């Protein structure tokens, strides 16, 4: 739901949405400005999620040193809701 809400804002900032559900990833392909990332399982530890996103971004050539990533989610990444915002600077 977060990816859909962000896509409605039509920002020029790319949105990466991570999911472990194929049908959700396919649906998110239709959202404006959203790139879905289908993973086997969403890491429960935020540091693992950050590492996975940074690796993906470098591989896709969309992140480099000095890039910033904003994570929106919950304290427990596996639960619904948005009570956490974390900004990570790529080194």
């Amino acid at each position: 739901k977060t990816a859909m809400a962000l896509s409605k804002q039509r920002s020029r900032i790319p949105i990466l949405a991570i999911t472990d559900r194929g049908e959700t990833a396919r649906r998110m392909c239709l959202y404006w400005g959203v790139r879905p990332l289908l993973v086997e399982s969403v890491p429960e530890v935020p540091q693992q999620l950050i590492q996975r996103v940074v690796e993906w971004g470098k591989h896709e050539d969309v992140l480099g040193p000095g890039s910033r990533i904003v994570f929106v989610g919950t304290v427990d990444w596996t639960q619904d809701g948005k009570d956490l915002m974390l900004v990570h600077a790529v080194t």
Side-chain angles (χ1 to χ4, degrees), residues 45-75:
V45 179
Q47 290 81 2
Q48 292 173 342
L49 181 62
I50 293 167
Q51 180 181 1
R52 185 174 285 178
V53 170
V54 169
E55 289 171 1
W56 174 88
K58 287 181 176 180
H59 180 265
E60 293 292 316
D61 207 26
V62 294
L63 291 176
S67 297
R68 289 193 175 86
I69 307 168
V70 178
F71 292 88
V72 179
T74 64
V75 174

Side-chain angles (χ1 to χ4, degrees), residues 5 7-8 15 20 22 28 31 39-41 46 53-54 57 64 67 69-71 75 82:
S7 75
K8 289 179 180 181
I15 302 163
D20 57 358
M28 287 191 295
Y31 298 168
V39 295
E40 241 179 74
S41 64
V53 170
V54 169
S67 297
I69 307 168
V70 178
F71 292 88
V75 174
K82 292 110 187 127

